[in-house]
Amino acid sequence: MQIEDAWEEIMGKTIARYTDKLQIIGESLIITTHVAPLKQELIYQKDKIIQRVNEALGQRVVREVVIQ
């Protein structure tokens, strides 16, 4: 399963709509968005994002979230 396929289910339609790009590099999930309020919200939710993504992927893939 690709992270892009599960992102809307993990984070919801609104966040998925304003997320420009998702990448997993090593153990880091890199989230790119140009919406400043969304960047702030994602920064506050880093731990929850890590937990939800790992649950969706069925294994501990992500240990860090980088917001760009």
Side-chain angles (χ1 to χ4, degrees), residues 4-64:
E4 295 89 355
D5 299 334
W7 186 244
E8 183 176 315
E9 185 178 320
I10 294 167
M11 296 304 295
K13 290 181 187 241
T14 304
I15 290 176
R17 185 179 311 132
Y18 294 107
T19 303
D20 298 321
K21 187 175 177 185
L22 295 168
Q23 291 179 290
I24 296 178
I25 299 176
E27 295 181 335
S28 298
L29 171 62
I30 300 166
I31 304 169
T32 305
T33 182
H34 292 90
V35 180
L38 178 57
K39 284 184 184 181
Q40 281 301 122
E41 184 65 28
L42 293 172
I43 288 168
Y44 289 126
Q45 292 190 27
K46 281 185 177 185
D47 291 336
K48 186 184 277 188
I49 293 168
I50 292 169
Q51 179 184 355
R52 287 182 175 181
V53 168
N54 287 332
E55 284 176 10
L57 297 177
Q59 55 187 326
R60 187 143 170 88
V61 176
V62 176
R63 294 186 188 272
E64 178 185 21

